[in-house]
Amino acid sequence: AQTVTQSQPEMSVQEAETVTLSCTYDTSESDYYLFWYKQPPSRQMILVIRQEAYKQQNATENRFSVNFQKAAKSFSLKISDSQLGDAAMYFCAYRSGENAGNMLTFGGGTRLMVKP
Amino acid sequence: DSGVTQTPKHLITATGQRVTLRCSPRSGDLSVYWYQQSLDQGLQFLIHYYNGEERAKGNILERFSAQQFPDLHSELNLSSLELGDSALYFCASSDAAGGHNEQFFGPGTRLTVL
């Protein structure tokens, strides 16, 4: 079974600064997808960014980018120019691409606080 | 707004009771996934339905059951409720059974068991 680990329960960043959230995963599969979800106080789960394992290029979405290290099974999220609205829980998630079950497996989450 | 709706938003009930949570997927989505978010277990996958058929089961208790109806809405039934069942229950939908298609999450139903 796949596991996802987020080793930082809490992180804080100054507004306008950059922060990196860590995620590692364990899998024996070669085809899979990785995601970062944001959960603000409203509790809504919002997809921030996704990465296909077969793509070598790191995904980028505006101020959000990932550092995908497939051999190391590491998938970190970098938030640049942090804004107050970025304060939330962030979850790293894994999804098999091999039709063995397409559910999301989540890490334990990282609470990000943004200081004005 | 993801396009996925869940009712009710909040539910307060007593131990031993039975409740039904409802989910309407995005228009055109055939897959529905149920997840449970609790303080001690984190976010866990419960069950997946595709076009009315059960496709995968996760850590779903025998007291819990689900189904997906011909109009594609889904219901999660929780019975003999215990204090530990208090959690946020999410439904997510996607337009396929698998692959890389994104799952869109509903706003969740917060269940409190007293």
Side-chain angles (χ1 to χ4, degrees), chain B residues 6-74:
Chain B
Q6 290 186 247
T7 56
K9 281 189 177 179
H10 302 278
L11 201 46
I12 301 175
T13 188
T15 54
Q17 296 298 304
R18 173 189 170 95
V19 297
T20 297
L21 313 184
R22 182 187 169 104
C23 168
S24 293
R26 292 188 320 153
S27 177
D29 283 0
L30 300 178
S31 268
V32 170
Y33 302 80
W34 286 96
Y35 295 89
Q36 178 196 58
Q37 184 177 26
S38 62
L39 282 176
D40 54 344
Q41 301 281 358
L43 263 163
Q44 287 195 107
F45 165 71
L46 295 178
I47 198 163
H48 170 209
Y49 275 84
Y50 175 75
N51 203 20
E53 292 186 5
E54 181 186 304
R55 281 298 185 99
K57 265 187 176 180
N59 295 323
I60 187 166
L61 300 170
E62 285 192 12
R63 300 184 285 107
F64 295 2
S65 65
Q67 53 185 326
Q68 186 179 28
F69 295 86
D71 67 352
L72 300 176
H73 91 272
S74 178

Side-chain angles (χ1 to χ4, degrees), chain A residues 38-62:
Chain A
K38 172 184 178 181
Q39 188 179 41
S42 68
R43 297 297 208 172
Q44 178 73 48
M45 293 292 287
I46 302 165
L47 178 65
V48 174
I49 199 165
R50 59 180 285 160
Q51 174 79 43
E52 292 85 348
Y54 63 83
K55 288 187 177 179
Q56 291 187 339
Q57 187 171 7
N58 289 325
T60 299
E61 288 286 342
N62 301 313

Side-chain angles (χ1 to χ4, degrees), chain A residues 33 35 37 39 42-47 50 52 91 95-97 99-108, chain B residues 2 33 35 37 43-45 48 56-57 88 90 94 96-107 110:
Chain A
Y33 304 87
F35 305 85
Y37 280 86
Q39 188 179 41
S42 68
R43 297 297 208 172
Q44 178 73 48
M45 293 292 287
I46 302 165
L47 178 65
R50 59 180 285 160
E52 292 85 348
F91 292 96
R95 184 179 186 185
S96 170
N99 258 353
N102 297 288
M103 70 290 289
L104 292 165
T105 300
F106 289 92
Chain B
S2 66
Y33 302 80
Y35 295 89
Q37 184 177 26
L43 263 163
Q44 287 195 107
F45 165 71
H48 170 209
K57 265 187 176 180
L88 187 56
F90 284 108
S94 74
H100 64 278
N101 304 70
E102 180 183 343
Q103 293 183 20
F104 294 86
F105 280 77
R110 178 167 292 285

